[in-house]
């Protein structure tokens, strides 16, 4: 009788999850053969309408750590390396008091207590992401939802960015830098993962545009791996080469094929920081330059649809909420307009 293939979990036991009649039934045994035999027996009993046999001795459900391994293994082909890396870090660093406990023994109160403890150890956003992941793993393994935990409010970080005047200073400071190309690509809206995946075959100097396609992300072993797809569907796009200095740098370095950027992305980030420090600019990084692009588009009153097309945003609300900053110069302009209105009112 066909049953799912048994998987070996970190404890050394073998595990199979059956889905029968809308219910998850978990089988754990010390050997692969015994685990498969028990799963076949349970399925046969279900198909014939008989009662299921008593649960085998030992844990009914795997530990939380084992359940995470199984969850990731089941989604191996669907999850990106960066996502797996993030989930693996949650397993290593969060909810340590629960990781080696069987899901059969963890109560709702235990989950709530663990969330309270984690709130003292990490940022609110980190806890929110970790708890959301753990809830998904528990529900996938047991078919039951853990309780809604009262988590601390997530306060959005205000990421530094360059306003219009600062961008001009930054551009002049970057000129001739060894990493000018990736730095200016970031200022043209590209994400770090897109910059590291960019290939010479996708640079069209004649039309002054670049096809942004693919991504390079770190996996759970901290190795940079190439992905054929971008973050989302709208991320695959043509980006115009807007700056003459970027065009000239690409023209001078042009090759028939291969990756455009081969250095470590941390090297690019460090160079951006040094440039900002030397020129008394806000301490932006690669993603901060992407924010700066969106801010500049707002300053220039570029239509949202055009900004979204260049930057690869598929959600206008997200772009405005996270990426669009109002430069202080623009704020002052509107403050003066209000002041002039009230001064002339009489």
């Amino acid at each position: 009788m066909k049953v799912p293939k048994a998987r070996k979990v970190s404890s050394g036991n073998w595990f199979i999850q059956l889905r029968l009649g809308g219910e998850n039934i978990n089988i754990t045994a010390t050997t692969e053969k015994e685990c498969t035999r028990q799963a076949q027996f349970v399925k046969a009993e279900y198909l014939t309408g008989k009662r299921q046999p008593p649960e085998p001795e030992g844990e009914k459900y795997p530990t939380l750590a084992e359940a995470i391994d199984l969850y990731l293994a089941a989604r191996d082909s669907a999850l990106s390396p960066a996502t797996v890396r993030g989930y693996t870090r949650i397993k290593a660093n969060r909810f340590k008091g629960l990781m080696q406990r069987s899901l059969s023994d963890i109560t709702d109160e235990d989950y709530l207590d663990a969330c309270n403890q984690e709130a003292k150890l990490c940022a609110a956003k980190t806890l929110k992401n970790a708890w959301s992941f753990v809830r998904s793993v528990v529900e996938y393994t047991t078919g039951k939802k853990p309780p809604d935990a009262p988590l601390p409010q997530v306060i959005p970080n205000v990421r530094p960015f360059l306003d219009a005047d600062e961008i001009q200073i930054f551009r002049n400071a970057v000129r001739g830098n060894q990493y000018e190309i990736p730095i200016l690509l970031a200022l043209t809206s590209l994400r770090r993962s897109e910059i590291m995946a960019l290939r010479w075959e996708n640079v069209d100097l004649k039309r002054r545009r670049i096809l942004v396609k693919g991504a390079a992300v770190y996996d759970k072993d901290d190795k940079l791996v190439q992905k054929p797809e971008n973050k989302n569907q709208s991320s695959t796009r043509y980006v115009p080469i807007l700056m003459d200095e970027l065009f000239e740098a690409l023209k001078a370095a042009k090759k028939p094929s291969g990756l455009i950027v081969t250095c470590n992305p941390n090297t690019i980030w460090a160079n951006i920081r040094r440039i900002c420090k030397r020129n008394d600019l806000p301490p932006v990084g690669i993603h901060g330059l992407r924010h700066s692009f969106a801010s500049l588009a707002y300053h220039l009153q570029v239509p949202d649809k055009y900004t979204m097309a260049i930057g690869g945003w598929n959600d206008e609300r997200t772009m405005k909420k996270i990426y669009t900053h109002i430069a202080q110069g623009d704020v002052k302009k509107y403050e003066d307009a209000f002041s002039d209105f009230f001064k002339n009112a009489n």
Side-chain angles (χ1 to χ4, degrees), residues 67 77 80 95 98 113 144 216 225 233 248:
S77 59
S80 73
F95 301 103
L98 299 180
D113 288 343
K144 302 174 184 177
V225 296
Q233 186 175 0
E248 294 299 332

Side-chain angles (χ1 to χ4, degrees), residues 94 113-124 127 152:
R94 305 267 67 90
D113 288 343
C115 285
N116 286 333
Q117 292 300 317
E118 289 296 320
K120 303 173 185 177
L121 303 174
C122 65
L127 175 55

Side-chain angles (χ1 to χ4, degrees), residues 47-76:
L47 293 176
T48 56
K50 298 179 182 178
R51 289 184 60 183
Q52 296 177 11
E55 291 288 341
E57 292 185 3
E59 298 175 345
K60 178 180 178 182
Y61 293 120
T63 65
L64 178 55
E66 292 170 343
I68 289 175
D69 289 340
L70 293 165
Y71 182 90
L72 296 180
R75 288 161 172 74
D76 183 59

Side-chain angles (χ1 to χ4, degrees), residues 79-230:
L79 298 176
S80 73
T83 301
V84 173
R85 181 172 181 254
Y87 289 162
T88 302
R89 288 190 170 185
I90 290 174
K91 176 189 170 186
N93 300 312
R94 305 267 67 90
F95 301 103
K96 292 182 179 180
L98 299 180
M99 284 296 166
Q100 300 309 318
R101 292 179 59 183
S102 167
L103 296 183
S104 301
D105 301 331
I106 303 176
T107 66
D108 287 354
E109 290 73 19
D110 291 333
Y111 287 123
L112 295 176
D113 288 343
C115 285
N116 286 333
Q117 292 300 317
E118 289 296 320
K120 303 173 185 177
L121 303 174
C122 65
K125 184 176 180 181
T126 301
L127 175 55
K128 179 182 178 181
N129 293 339
W131 177 233
S132 176
F133 171 61
V134 167
R135 290 192 78 204
S136 297
V137 169
V138 173
E139 184 177 1
Y140 169 79
T141 306
T142 68
K144 302 174 184 177
K145 290 184 178 181
D148 289 322
L151 304 179
Q153 182 180 0
V154 177
I155 300 175
N157 291 327
V158 179
R159 187 183 294 272
F161 71 100
L162 306 178
D163 65 22
D165 293 335
E166 291 165 339
I167 286 175
Q168 299 292 35
I169 297 171
F170 182 83
R171 285 176 60 199
N172 290 330
V174 170
R175 195 180 303 273
N177 187 285
Q178 180 181 357
Y179 304 100
E180 182 178 11
I181 289 176
I183 291 173
L184 294 182
L185 286 171
L187 189 54
T188 313
S189 83
L190 271 69
R191 303 175 177 92
R192 183 184 75 171
S193 61
E194 295 169 342
I195 293 171
M196 301 308 297
L198 207 59
R199 303 185 66 83
W200 285 111
E201 300 96 299
N202 295 328
V203 175
D204 187 344
L205 292 177
K206 184 177 181 180
R207 294 182 174 86
R208 288 183 67 115
R209 67 182 188 178
I210 299 169
L211 173 60
V212 178
K213 183 180 181 182
V217 297
Y218 282 103
D219 65 9
K220 61 184 179 64
D221 299 317
D222 288 332
K223 293 181 179 179
L224 202 61
V225 296
Q226 298 289 331
K227 292 172 49 188
E229 70 277 358
N230 294 70

Side-chain angles (χ1 to χ4, degrees), residues 198-304:
L198 207 59
R199 303 185 66 83
W200 285 111
E201 300 96 299
N202 295 328
V203 175
D204 187 344
L205 292 177
K206 184 177 181 180
R207 294 182 174 86
R208 288 183 67 115
R209 67 182 188 178
I210 299 169
L211 173 60
V212 178
K213 183 180 181 182
V217 297
Y218 282 103
D219 65 9
K220 61 184 179 64
D221 299 317
D222 288 332
K223 293 181 179 179
L224 202 61
V225 296
Q226 298 289 331
K227 292 172 49 188
E229 70 277 358
N230 294 70
K231 184 176 182 181
N232 52 55
Q233 186 175 0
S234 61
S235 295
T236 300
R237 64 199 187 277
Y238 282 102
V239 172
I241 301 174
L242 300 169
M243 290 173 272
D244 289 340
E245 58 265 42
L246 176 57
F247 176 83
E248 294 299 332
L250 288 168
K251 184 178 178 180
K254 187 78 166 72
K255 297 178 182 178
S257 62
L259 293 172
I260 294 178
V261 180
T262 57
C263 66
N264 188 297
N266 291 332
T267 303
I268 304 170
W269 180 90
N271 271 267
I272 294 171
R273 283 301 181 93
R274 278 195 289 269
I275 292 169
C276 290
K277 187 175 181 179
R278 289 171 185 166
N279 293 274
D280 196 25
L281 296 171
V284 301
I286 296 176
H287 207 62
L289 291 179
R290 178 169 161 83
H291 280 230
S292 302
F293 169 83
S295 176
L296 180 61
Y298 175 88
H299 171 78
L300 298 175
Q301 299 182 348
V302 177
D304 290 341

Side-chain angles (χ1 to χ4, degrees), residues 3-35:
V3 296
K5 183 175 177 58
R7 297 181 182 274
K8 194 171 186 179
V9 293
S10 55
S11 66
N13 290 332
W14 292 82
F15 178 83
I16 290 177
Q17 184 178 76
L18 298 175
R19 184 74 175 173
L20 301 174
E23 180 183 1
N24 288 331
I25 300 174
N26 298 280
I27 310 296
T28 304
T30 56
T31 67
E32 180 180 14
K33 183 177 180 180
E34 176 61 17
C35 188

